[in-house]
Amino acid sequence: MAWKILLPQEIMSEGRKLLEDAGHTIIEGRGFETEDVLADMKEHQPDAMIVRITPITREVIKANPNLKVIVRHGAGFDALDVKACHDNGVQTLYAPVANSTSVAETAMLLILECSRNVTLLHKTWVDDYYKAKLKIRKNTLNGKTLGLIGCGNIGSRLAVRALAMEMNVLAYDPYKPAADFPDGVEVVRDLDRIFKESDYVSLHTPNTPVTKNLVDKNRLAMMKPTAFLIICKSPAGPASMAEMSWGWPLPLAKQLKILIHDDRIVKERIKRIERIDKRTGEEEHGIR
């Protein structure tokens, strides 16, 4: 059966060819803002849609009674109103492993940035070599402790990389049997231990009613003064585990050190990176 498939954003040519060779008609969207997708839905009435970062709201879904399936180009449904899909008989699918390696590598990159203070070092090096060499804080990862909240496709890959750097790895994942954690990882069933004992805490779970606000000011206060919180998130949805807003009340905001990963250093305790920096060429080819 040939379908009309809407692409609000372009996908790799190999994936597009696969769909066209199967007889489907590709509709190139006019843009990936919600209003653009809404207009395409009303005009073309596609059978299916492949979504990347575009927020798909209930209004968009209801605008097209012909819609049968929405596929996420990646993992998770943060940008998609899944209940609205269910209410309107639209099936939802995603690619759970496709970008796992890319995100795990990004988390490792941020841990190294925290460890070696790369951004500040880069800014200082040219103008003041000796200050960069002798005065800017740098730490080794060897012997440090990484605490993982969530040890699924991404968390497990990050654990293997951290163990290769000779780090100690603690992992909290209440939905995973102890036997399924990577070798060398210490399974932790008390979430507070992750915050108390880790030098780096990295979040790798979806945003759900269960995980929302699990990282609160009380748990942040448990962290070592030198510890870092790593959040690899998609800009389309709230941060993993906690809807991290930068409007936390003082004095908590003064305790946090935040780096937005576009060289705009505000402070330096929470490292955040946007989706565009996690996308790799290999990942693009891994998702069809």
Side-chain angles (χ1 to χ4, degrees), residues 2-18:
W3 280 5
K4 293 187 294 182
I5 302 175
L6 174 64
L7 302 180
Q9 291 178 270
E10 189 54 83
I11 61 174
M12 293 299 296
S13 58
E14 298 94 328
R16 181 180 181 128
K17 184 176 185 302
L18 186 68

Side-chain angles (χ1 to χ4, degrees), residues 16 19 23 39 54 102 183 206 212 266 285:
R16 181 180 181 128
L19 294 171
T54 306
S102 177
D183 292 341
K212 182 178 179 180
V266 183
H285 284 84

Side-chain angles (χ1 to χ4, degrees), residues 263-278:
D263 289 336
R264 290 180 296 120
I265 298 180
V266 183
K267 293 181 181 176
E268 190 187 294
R269 176 158 179 190
I270 294 182
K271 302 281 178 178
R272 302 175 72 237
I273 190 167
E274 298 300 341
R275 180 73 178 174
I276 189 170
D277 292 311
K278 293 189 293 184

